[in-house]
Amino acid sequence: MNASTARLIQCAKKAALYVLLLCWTIVCLYPFVWMLSATLRPEAEIGRLNPVPSKLTLESYRLVFTKIPIARAFANSLFVSLSATAGVLLFTSMTGYALSRLHFRGRDGIFALVLFTMTLPFQITLIPTYVLMVKLGWNDTYYALIVPYMINAFAIVVFAQYFKSVPQDLLDAARIDGCSDLSILFRVMWPLSVPALITVAILTFMNIWNEVLWPIIVIRKWELMTMPQLVALFAVGGKAEGLLGVRLAAAALLALPIVVAYAFFQRYFIASMATTGLKS
C-alpha cells in the first residue's frame, strides 16, 4: 500500500466518523428541537414529526402565563435555589475544612459517616425530614424548601479533598499572621478553591432547581410553589385542559434557565470538573 492510498483510507475513516457523530447529534437534539417547535405551532399541527411549523404562534406561551402564576413560581425557584446554594457553599466548605485540616477525635469516623450517607437515597430520609418540618412549623414556608438542602455530603467530600491539596506551610504562615480558622477558610482556602466552589455551586443549583418531590410534599400554597412543582401540577392536574402545546411550553420555560446557565458557565463548569478530578 502506497502513501496516497493510506492517506485516502485515513480520510475515509475520518469522514465516516464525522458522519456517524453528526447522525448521533441529530438523534440526541431532535426531541428537544421538536419540543421547542411544538410550542411555537398551532395545536392541530403538534402531532407531526416534521419540526418545521407551517405558522409560528406564541399562543401556547400566552395560555401558560394566563392559566398559572408561572412568573411568581420562577421567582420562588430562583430565590430557593440561590439561597440553598449559598448555604451549601458556606456550611459544607466549613465542614470540609474541619474534616481535612483540623485534628480532633473521631474525625475519620465522621468522614466515613459522611461518605456512607452518599449511598442513601433521599427517599429514605423523606418521612423523618417531613416530620421534622411539621414539628418546627415550617410547612408552607421557604424554610422547608431551603434548610434541608443546606448540607450536602457530596459537597463536603469535594471540599475536603480539595482542601487537602493546599500546602500546610501556607496555613502555618496564615496562623503566624494571626488568622483564625474562619479567616483561613474564607481568605486563603476559598480563593484557592474557585474550581471546587463553581462545581459545587452549579451542581447544587441544578439539583435544587429541578427538585419536584420535596416541594410537592411540604408546599400547598400557590404563591410559594416552585416552578418545577407548578409545572408538574399544571401538566397532570387538569389546568392544561389536555392541550399538549401548553404543557410543552411550560416544560420549555422550566428548562430555559438551566440551559442559559449552562451555556453561560459551560467553560467554567468543564474546567472545574476536570480540575476537581485531578485534585482527588
Side-chain angles (χ1 to χ4, degrees):
M1 180 184 300
N2 55 34
S4 59
T5 304
R7 193 180 305 112
L8 285 175
I9 293 176
Q10 187 176 7
C11 291
K13 288 182 178 177
K14 188 178 292 184
L17 177 62
Y18 287 153
V19 170
L20 182 63
L21 292 176
L22 179 62
C23 293
W24 181 248
T25 303
I26 293 174
V27 169
C28 292
L29 290 180
Y30 176 77
F32 190 69
V33 173
W34 182 88
M35 184 186 75
L36 292 179
S37 171
T39 64
L40 298 173
R41 65 173 62 184
E43 183 73 18
E45 297 182 5
I46 291 180
R48 300 177 182 175
L49 294 178
N50 184 4
V52 181
S54 62
K55 184 178 70 173
L56 292 177
T57 176
L58 296 176
E59 181 64 15
S60 296
Y61 290 97
R62 189 191 68 77
L63 289 175
V64 170
F65 282 95
T66 301
K67 291 177 178 295
I68 56 175
I70 198 164
R72 176 60 186 267
F74 174 81
N76 288 338
S77 281
L78 198 61
F79 173 71
V80 168
S81 300
L82 291 177
S83 300
T85 301
V88 166
L89 292 179
L90 177 63
F91 296 119
T92 59
S93 65
M94 294 171 68
T95 308
Y97 174 79
L99 293 177
S100 62
R101 307 313 299 236
L102 300 184
H103 299 281
F104 55 90
R105 183 178 297 177
R107 186 186 68 168
D108 294 338
I110 294 175
F111 189 74
L113 183 62
V114 171
L115 287 175
F116 172 73
T117 59
M118 293 177 64
T119 65
L120 300 177
F122 180 68
Q123 287 78 6
I124 289 181
T125 60
L126 198 62
I127 300 302
T129 308
Y130 175 73
V131 172
L132 181 61
M133 294 296 109
V134 172
K135 296 291 185 183
L136 293 174
W138 285 359
N139 273 8
D140 279 329
T141 67
Y142 286 118
Y143 295 117
L145 294 173
I146 296 173
V147 174
Y149 290 104
M150 282 189 166
I151 289 294
N152 182 291
F154 171 76
I156 292 173
V157 172
V158 169
F159 282 123
Q161 293 298 105
Y162 214 94
F163 291 162
K164 283 181 180 178
S165 66
V166 177
Q168 182 62 37
D169 293 343
L170 197 59
L171 274 64
D172 293 338
R175 291 187 190 282
I176 293 174
D177 288 339
C179 289
S180 64
D181 285 317
L182 285 179
S183 296
I184 292 174
L185 173 62
F186 295 118
R187 298 174 63 183
V188 178
M189 290 296 194
W190 271 40
L192 294 175
S193 307
V194 172
L197 290 168
I198 292 176
T199 301
V200 170
I202 292 177
L203 293 178
T204 303
F205 182 86
M206 292 175 61
N207 288 336
I208 298 174
W209 180 275
N210 293 324
E211 180 61 42
V212 176
L213 180 59
W214 179 246
I216 287 178
I217 292 175
V218 296
I219 298 297
R220 295 289 185 273
K221 297 178 180 177
W222 285 92
E223 60 269 24
L224 294 180
M225 287 186 178
T226 60
M227 200 166 172
Q229 177 187 9
L230 190 65
V231 169
L233 294 176
F234 174 67
V236 301
K239 278 187 171 294
E241 299 174 354
L243 298 174
L244 183 58
V246 179
R247 283 184 283 183
L248 291 174
L253 290 173
L254 174 63
L256 185 61
I258 295 297
V259 174
V260 172
Y262 180 76
F264 185 76
F265 291 108
Q266 180 184 17
R267 180 164 59 91
Y268 304 99
F269 180 70
I270 294 174
S272 60
M273 289 293 289
T275 309
T276 302
L278 291 174
K279 291 291 182 183
S280 63

